[in-house]
Amino acid sequence: MRTDGLAFSLPRWRVTRWLADPGHEVSADIRLALTGELYGCWSVFAGGAINTVAVAAALALRTPTSLFITWFLLEVAICLSRLIVMIIAYRRARRQLSTPTDIHILLAVAWSASVGFGVGISLASGDWIAASLTCISSAAMVGGICFRNFSAPRLVGTMILCSIGPVIPGVATSHEPLLFAMYLQMPVYFLAMTGAAFRLNKMLVAVMHAKSESDERARLDPLTGLNNRAGLIDALQRRLASKHHDGPGFAVLYLDLDGFKPVNDTFGHAAGDELLMIVGRTLKEIVAPSDVIARIGGDEFVVLSTDPALDHALALGDRIIEVMTTPFILPNGAQVHVGMSIGIAAAPDHGTDPESLLFAADAALYEAKASGKSCWRLASAEANLAALRKVTGDQLTTRPVVTAA
């Protein structure tokens, strides 16, 4: 996938959507990444543009007819347009705006058609130096077309057909029988390079899919299938980035099981693991589908409640405690009684970054534990100070960094 973190818009027009389609089913995130690949390889783009403009210029000077001059002007106009569109696309992508992907794709096809036009008029001119130069140039461009655009193999096939297809009518008007051998060469060349583009595309998609699965596994807790700490931090960062600073906030609920250690001591760690999995499934049934649940270690869980109302988070805390204080039946038939203490912090009142929000919620959790457990507490300056003193061994004398709402 792209490493620059830029997201380019998917094509919207029917023809450009067809050209950019990989020809097989892919996920939405991989489709977006494949579209982004069409904007890559600046060196290949520059090399192709310089080559074709230089060839067109040389032939316009050698044979200053209207056709060759038109071809030169067409090459300059298309290459400049492609450069401008790419610059605009990168600038808009950096600002997270829509990009002119449809125009970018159509200009790529127009450029290859211009290359083919030069091939056709060179063969028809009877100037074998011109014909040799354009045919060699066109054949060389096919490799660059395949290498730069194989994320969209249909586009590759279309561009190759446009760039070397005019060889067929050009040979027909050249009246040179030996060149008819190209009627056999061109189809084989087209099928081989287009087939290579499809194979490279499948390899790229496989790599993207494997990387996506690897990234997903790195953000999941292997026991419960919930997010782990890394997945939680990513979710918090996305939520904070998407939320306008004056807009509605959200809440973080820091959960800790009460009485989990006796379950481990009495029934063994396997039973404890079963209990954690049951708790994870139970939390999924309680929270909203848009909420994020994470197990960040041991018997500690975090719920990111996306509802902007703080009252909703408090009611959710009550509901979780109510459910968690009912007996759980383990797979071995044992009935266990646990509880849940919860610390609640709200954004942006208790923090504007993941670390400060989690610290505020953890501090509130410590206060809930100290208050008798199986209850929730909202983040406050006193809770933050108590948690900090616990970590620093009562040596803290500075003012707490997080205050109550």
Side-chain angles (χ1 to χ4, degrees):
M1 295 186 180
R2 298 190 63 84
T3 58
D4 50 20
L6 300 180
F8 296 88
S9 304
L10 294 173
R12 294 173 296 175
W13 304 340
R14 179 178 297 179
V15 63
T16 50
R17 288 203 310 268
W18 184 86
L19 287 170
D21 192 275
H24 51 91
E25 191 64 31
V26 296
S27 61
D29 58 332
I30 290 181
R31 188 178 298 275
L32 192 64
L34 290 174
T35 300
E37 293 295 328
L38 295 176
Y39 287 93
C41 296
W42 278 87
S43 59
V44 176
F45 165 77
I50 292 171
N51 172 69
T52 54
V53 169
V55 170
L59 295 185
L61 291 173
R62 175 183 172 84
T63 309
T65 62
S66 59
L67 285 176
F68 282 105
I69 293 174
T70 298
W71 181 38
F72 168 68
L73 295 176
L74 191 62
E75 278 292 322
V76 172
I78 292 175
C79 289
L80 282 177
S81 298
R82 294 182 73 196
L83 178 62
I84 291 171
V85 167
M86 287 180 66
I87 292 173
I88 291 173
Y90 269 85
R91 287 179 176 177
R92 292 183 64 84
R94 291 190 184 98
R95 296 164 59 191
Q96 298 182 345
L97 301 174
S98 62
T99 57
T101 300
D102 299 280
I103 298 175
H104 175 68
I105 292 173
L106 290 184
L107 283 175
V109 175
W111 172 76
S112 61
S114 176
V115 173
F117 173 72
V119 170
I121 63 175
S122 298
L123 285 168
S125 70
D127 184 341
W128 305 123
I129 294 178
S132 299
L133 187 60
T134 53
C135 286
I136 293 173
S137 173
S138 175
M141 291 302 95
V142 169
I145 289 171
C146 182
F147 178 77
R148 187 170 187 266
N149 302 293
F150 67 83
S151 61
R154 291 177 178 176
L155 176 62
V156 170
T158 302
M159 293 178 69
I160 292 176
L161 185 62
C162 289
S163 60
I164 66 174
V167 165
I168 304 300
V171 168
T173 58
S174 67
H175 306 295
E176 177 56 53
L178 186 61
L179 292 179
F180 279 85
M182 299 180 75
Y183 283 176
L184 298 176
Q185 292 177 317
M186 290 302 104
V188 172
Y189 194 35
F190 167 76
L191 292 174
M193 297 304 293
T194 303
F198 274 95
R199 288 192 296 273
L200 288 170
N201 178 268
K202 288 184 178 180
M203 292 173 59
L204 176 63
V205 169
V207 170
M208 288 179 169
H209 186 68
K211 184 178 185 300
S212 178
E213 286 188 340
S214 177
D215 290 345
E216 185 69 18
R217 286 195 298 269
R219 288 166 173 76
L220 293 180
D221 171 46
L223 178 64
T224 62
L226 302 174
N227 287 280
N228 59 16
R229 181 176 289 274
L232 174 65
I233 296 298
D234 283 349
L236 283 168
Q237 289 174 335
R238 288 195 301 270
R239 180 67 181 174
L240 289 165
S242 63
K243 183 185 72 62
H244 192 276
H245 68 281
D246 289 329
F250 60 92
V252 173
L253 289 77
Y254 205 124
L255 321 176
D256 186 79
L257 280 175
D258 300 324
F260 178 71
K261 188 176 183 299
V263 174
N264 265 341
D265 294 342
T266 304
F267 302 103
H269 290 285
D273 288 345
E274 291 290 348
L275 176 59
L276 292 174
M277 289 189 284
I278 293 173
V279 169
R281 292 194 296 267
T282 304
L283 287 174
K284 286 182 180 180
E285 297 171 357
I286 296 174
V287 306
S290 59
D291 293 347
V292 177
I293 312 171
R295 175 179 174 243
I296 59 174
D299 58 343
E300 293 184 336
F301 296 80
V302 172
V303 173
L304 167 57
S305 175
T306 55
D307 193 296
L310 181 58
D311 287 345
H312 173 83
L314 303 183
L316 179 59
D318 284 329
R319 174 61 178 157
I320 292 174
I321 292 170
E322 177 187 357
V323 172
M324 292 301 167
T325 53
T326 60
F328 287 102
I329 306 298
L330 299 179
N332 61 6
Q335 178 175 290
V336 297
H337 296 265
V338 292
M340 184 74 81
S341 297
I342 304 175
I344 303 174
D349 296 330
H350 302 122
T352 55
D353 59 83
E355 291 76 14
S356 60
L357 280 170
L358 289 174
F359 171 76
D362 188 30
L365 171 64
Y366 174 70
E367 185 179 28
K369 288 283 190 181
S371 300
K373 303 181 180 180
S374 291
C375 63
W376 59 259
R377 290 292 182 269
L378 184 63
S380 65
E382 291 76 13
N384 295 334
L385 181 59
L388 279 173
R389 281 179 171 161
K390 180 182 177 183
V391 172
T392 58
D394 293 327
Q395 296 177 358
L396 181 70
T397 57
T398 57
R399 183 179 180 181
V401 296
V402 181
T403 58

